[in-house]
């Protein structure tokens, strides 16, 4: 287990002054780099840094620090809980322009390719026996205005459920819930459809002080795939703490016939959290993808809009 490194720069700074302009010139000039990564959540105590525990953020920042020889802070699209996996996580980090150019060294490759290659080696050193649990798939310089967290339009998760013993595959048990009761996918979809839209999901969230539980749930559906497994699809502009697991856990009760199809909608309207608020286990949950605007103007506008909303919440 790897202890986290501290102290580090303030969140959102990427390790450089917030006044530094992307692609500019001078001592404070910086280059913002987007990193796309995937990880197995099993070896990590969640994404966010926790003293004395191995986390996704701490592991990546330690690897970057080995390369850059200074403390580094990354900004993530969406923090995942302990045990949750990712195929499409996105972070950004700000490098000094000189650091970016010096990455190449004697290599004929572009800085993007060199950074990915060097990160693979640094992550191997940091992770030790858990090597391969976190992989950086690509590094690119995104359009101006990009912010991994605030520019995101949506996050999409999947959740695998095997509700029949003949589908309990030991090789996939780390990403699949072995559910002991058969599920009615039609009932689950009927319940899930009633939650779509801009709603207050307090009944399905663990509220954080000073944060809103209002989210836009854009997709919530279930399908039985060709291999007999039930696959949940959940997409929203953002998720509050434990929201996906609570939504899936509640839908399982409907799928088993323990609750009516209207039950999820009634709980949402009542804004009630009680003993029936069940969290589905973390290990089958996967962050599949984060969506962003296609243009620099769209990225900057989305980031400004999201920051303004966050400031209004904090002030309210």
């Amino acid at each position: 287990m790897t202890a986290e490194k501290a102290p580090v720069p303030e969140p959102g700074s990427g390790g450089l002054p917030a006044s530094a302009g992307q692609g500019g010139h001078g001592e404070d000039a910086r280059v913002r780099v987007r990193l796309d990564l995937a990880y197995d959540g099993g070896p990590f105590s969640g994404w966010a840094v926790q003293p004395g525990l191995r986390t996704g953020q701490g592991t990546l920042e330690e690897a970057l620090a080995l390369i850059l020889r200074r403390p580094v802070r990354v900004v993530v699209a969406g923090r995942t809980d302990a045990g949750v996996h990712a195929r499409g996580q996105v972070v950004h980090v700000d490098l000094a322009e000189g650091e970016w150019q010096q990455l190449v060294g004697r290599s004929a490759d572009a800085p993007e390719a060199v950074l990915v290659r060097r990160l693979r080696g640094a992550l191997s050193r940091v992770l030790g026996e858990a090597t391969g649990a976190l992989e950086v798939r690509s590094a690119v310089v995104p359009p101006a205005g990009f912010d991994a967290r605030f520019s995101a339009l949506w996050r999409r998760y999947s959740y695998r459920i095997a509700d029949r013993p003949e589908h309990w595959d030991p090789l996939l048990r780390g990403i699949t819930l072995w559910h002991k009761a058969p599920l009615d996918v039609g009932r689950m979809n009927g319940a899930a459809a009633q939650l779509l839209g801009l709603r207050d999901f307090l009944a399905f969230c663990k509220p954080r002080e000073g944060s809103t539980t209002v989210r836009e749930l854009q997709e919530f559906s279930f399908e039985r795939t060709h291999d007999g497994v039930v696959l949940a699809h959940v997409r929203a502009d953002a998720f509050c703490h434990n929201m996906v697991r609570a939504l899936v856990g509640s839908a399982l009760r409907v799928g088993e016939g323990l609750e009516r199809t209207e039950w999820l909608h009634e709980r949402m309207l009542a804004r009630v959290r009680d003993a029936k608020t069940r969290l589905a286990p973390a290990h089958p949950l996967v962050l599949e993808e984060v969506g962003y605007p296609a243009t620099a103007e769209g990225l900057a506008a989305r980031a400004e809009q999201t920051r303004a909303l966050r400031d209004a919440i904090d002030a309210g």
Side-chain angles (χ1 to χ4, degrees):
M1 184 172 292
T2 303
E4 307 296 356
K5 302 297 183 181
V8 293
E10 288 299 312
S13 70
L16 293 171
S19 60
Q22 182 172 336
H25 298 280
E27 185 178 349
D28 288 337
R30 67 180 181 179
V31 176
R32 175 156 293 180
V33 183
R34 167 177 169 167
L35 301 176
D36 287 70
L37 52 139
Y39 48 83
D40 171 2
F44 301 109
S45 298
W47 171 262
V49 168
Q50 300 180 61
L53 297 176
R54 172 184 282 160
T55 67
Q57 179 183 0
T59 297
L60 180 60
E61 289 177 349
E62 189 173 344
L64 284 164
L66 285 175
I67 296 170
L68 300 172
R69 300 181 181 181
R70 65 168 174 87
V72 179
R73 174 59 53 92
V74 301
V75 176
V76 70
R79 292 182 294 179
T80 50
D81 295 338
V84 177
H85 316 289
R87 289 192 182 94
Q89 183 66 279
V90 180
V91 305
H92 79 244
V93 61
D94 291 337
L95 308 183
E97 190 171 345
E99 289 178 318
W100 180 243
Q101 298 301 329
Q102 290 168 12
L103 280 172
V104 175
R106 298 180 180 179
S107 173
D109 295 332
E112 293 87 345
V114 173
L115 180 57
V116 171
R117 185 167 63 245
R118 293 187 64 181
L119 273 172
R120 185 166 291 119
L123 284 168
S124 179
R125 291 175 59 187
V126 173
L127 286 168
E129 293 182 357
T131 293
L134 189 155
E135 286 288 321
V136 176
R137 291 179 161 174
S138 67
V140 298
V141 177
F146 175 82
D147 185 292
R149 177 187 178 193
F150 290 119
S151 294
L153 293 171
W154 46 262
R155 288 87 170 162
R156 179 173 64 86
Y157 285 85
S158 69
Y159 195 100
R160 283 174 51 92
I161 309 157
D163 62 336
R164 301 168 185 171
E166 59 267 30
H167 298 143
W168 293 356
D169 184 348
L171 300 183
L172 297 175
R173 69 189 184 282
I175 57 170
T176 308
L177 173 64
W178 289 6
H179 196 67
K180 296 181 180 180
L183 297 171
D184 185 325
V185 172
R187 286 175 54 84
M188 296 168 77
N189 279 326
Q194 299 177 51
L195 304 186
L196 297 178
L198 186 65
R199 313 276 193 164
D200 188 341
F201 287 95
L202 175 62
F204 304 100
C205 292
K206 184 177 181 180
R208 297 182 188 275
E209 185 176 355
S211 296
T212 181
T213 52
V214 175
R215 297 290 188 271
E216 183 187 11
L217 186 60
Q218 301 166 351
E219 179 182 8
F220 185 26
S221 64
F222 298 84
E223 64 169 328
R224 193 172 294 278
T225 62
H226 64 89
D227 58 358
V229 170
V230 176
L231 185 63
H233 305 277
V234 192
R235 188 182 73 194
D237 57 346
F239 291 94
C240 42
H241 190 42
N242 289 154
M243 179 174 165
V244 181
R245 293 171 60 197
L247 287 172
V248 173
S250 298
L252 288 173
R253 293 184 60 83
V254 174
E256 285 186 50
L258 300 176
E259 305 289 351
R260 298 174 298 113
T261 55
E262 297 81 12
W263 181 66
L264 269 70
H265 186 247
E266 291 169 354
R267 287 180 65 78
M268 181 188 67
L269 294 179
R271 302 176 73 246
V272 170
R273 284 183 57 85
D274 55 27
K276 288 189 176 181
T277 301
R278 303 287 180 83
L279 296 183
H283 70 276
L285 185 58
V286 180
L287 174 59
E288 296 284 358
E289 186 181 8
V290 182
Y292 293 95
T295 65
E297 293 78 9
L299 289 166
R302 175 63 177 179
E304 183 177 354
Q305 177 188 33
T306 308
R307 287 194 187 95
L309 177 60
R310 176 65 59 183
D311 291 343
I313 293 168
D314 291 343

